[in-house]
Amino acid sequence: MKIPILYEDNHLLVVEKPVNVPVQEDNSGDKDLLTVLKEDIKVRYQKPGNVYLGLVHRLDRPVGGVMVFAKTSKAASRLSDAIRRQQFERTYLAVVRGVPQEEARLEHYLFKDQRNNMVKTVPSNHKQGKKSILEYKVAARAENLSLLTVRLLTGRSHQIRVQLSSIGHPLYGDQKYGRKVNRPGQQIALWAHTLEFEHPTKRKMVRFESRPPKEYPWNLWR
């Protein structure tokens, strides 16, 4: 598995995650991104023993795009802290069914059913509900599909997929939260587009970008 490397230094490894690859080991037994990257570092730098690579954020298995990993514990700690303080800027590109309003800020409380790996919206007084916030803008429209830029303000499981589905505009290809309008075999159209944060040791802002593949429905706007 060849993983495109977007940036690398002594503390960070920024890559483009392929679609349909789990970020870390799961019950499927499929090769996961974290293991592949550790093996690659071990070979490229001829490192003996175990390789440290910290996972500081995640992407759902069917989602591709930019991800950062920490090569040192110091970087992992500082990046995790930036995420907690909401100083870790993430934007996504998403293709949804229908025509939502031009822009909106969505706030929901989400609950994850661990047994079924499903997330749903719940009332604000739900004991296990977690407040979830995103902002989106419509960038373009075609064929009753809309291309959105999404800014994620919290990092809940399946958050973008559930929140957009809850307002009546599920993601193209999302079989889990848009099964009524999507067909089996369609690839979910959600892409991690940019990451921006303060470098954990250089103390300057860095920004990384990844573009979705040139295939349907993304190629409607190429």
Side-chain angles (χ1 to χ4, degrees):
M1 188 188 305
K2 188 69 174 176
I3 308 298
I5 296 176
L6 305 180
Y7 174 83
E8 185 176 12
D9 63 21
N10 290 336
H11 295 274
L12 301 179
L13 178 62
V14 183
V15 304
E16 183 175 275
K17 176 190 174 296
V19 299
N20 298 325
V21 172
V23 169
Q24 60 186 141
E25 187 177 359
D26 61 15
N27 294 332
S28 70
D30 295 338
K31 203 75 168 178
D32 64 280
L33 184 61
L34 188 60
T35 299
V36 170
L37 293 175
K38 284 183 177 181
E39 291 173 351
D40 178 61
I41 290 173
K42 188 177 181 69
V43 171
R44 285 193 292 121
Y45 294 101
Q46 299 180 335
K47 284 183 173 289
N50 294 327
V51 171
Y52 178 85
L53 196 62
L55 179 63
V56 294
H57 69 122
R58 291 170 172 79
L59 291 177
D60 291 349
R61 178 173 180 145
V63 179
V66 62
M67 283 194 72
V68 60
F69 294 83
K71 293 176 68 177
T72 64
S73 58
K74 177 189 290 186
S77 175
R78 291 179 177 176
L79 288 176
S80 296
D81 187 55
I83 292 173
R84 283 193 298 270
R85 291 185 282 114
Q86 297 187 346
Q87 295 176 345
F88 190 87
E89 292 285 335
R90 290 165 285 183
T91 67
Y92 293 74
L93 296 174
V95 180
V96 299
R97 297 284 184 177
V99 183
Q101 66 183 76
E102 287 293 331
E103 59 183 273
R105 177 186 174 97
L106 303 182
E107 295 189 13
H108 295 92
Y109 283 80
L110 301 183
F111 164 71
K112 184 171 184 178
D113 179 347
Q114 298 286 353
R115 178 179 296 179
N116 297 310
N117 193 30
M118 287 285 290
V119 178
K120 62 181 180 180
T121 59
V122 293
S124 60
N125 61 356
H126 191 285
K127 290 183 179 180
Q128 293 177 281
K130 294 182 178 180
K131 190 173 185 178
S132 306
I133 306 171
L134 65 77
E135 297 173 344
Y136 78 80
K137 293 183 179 180
V138 176
R141 296 189 175 100
E143 298 183 5
N144 201 35
L145 298 173
S146 298
L147 175 65
L148 310 184
T149 58
V150 180
R151 178 171 175 253
L152 202 58
L153 283 88
T154 55
R156 311 304 184 196
S157 181
H158 300 179
Q159 180 181 337
I160 295 174
R161 300 163 65 183
V162 176
Q163 287 195 272
L164 291 174
S165 179
S166 72
I167 63 168
H169 298 285
L171 289 169
Y172 174 92
D174 192 345
Q175 311 300 321
K176 188 182 288 281
Y177 301 106
R179 64 176 64 91
K180 292 182 180 180
V181 292
N182 291 309
R183 299 192 305 274
Q186 292 176 333
Q187 178 61 46
I188 188 171
L190 179 61
W191 195 262
H193 180 44
T194 67
L195 284 179
E196 186 171 1
F197 52 89
E198 186 180 81
H199 191 284
T201 60
K202 297 179 181 179
R203 297 305 191 186
K204 67 176 184 179
M205 296 302 293
V206 290
R207 184 180 185 275
F208 306 102
E209 179 178 316
S210 169
R211 302 291 301 180
K214 297 178 181 179
E215 58 189 42
Y216 191 87
W218 303 111
N219 58 9
L220 290 172
W221 298 284
R222 294 278 180 169

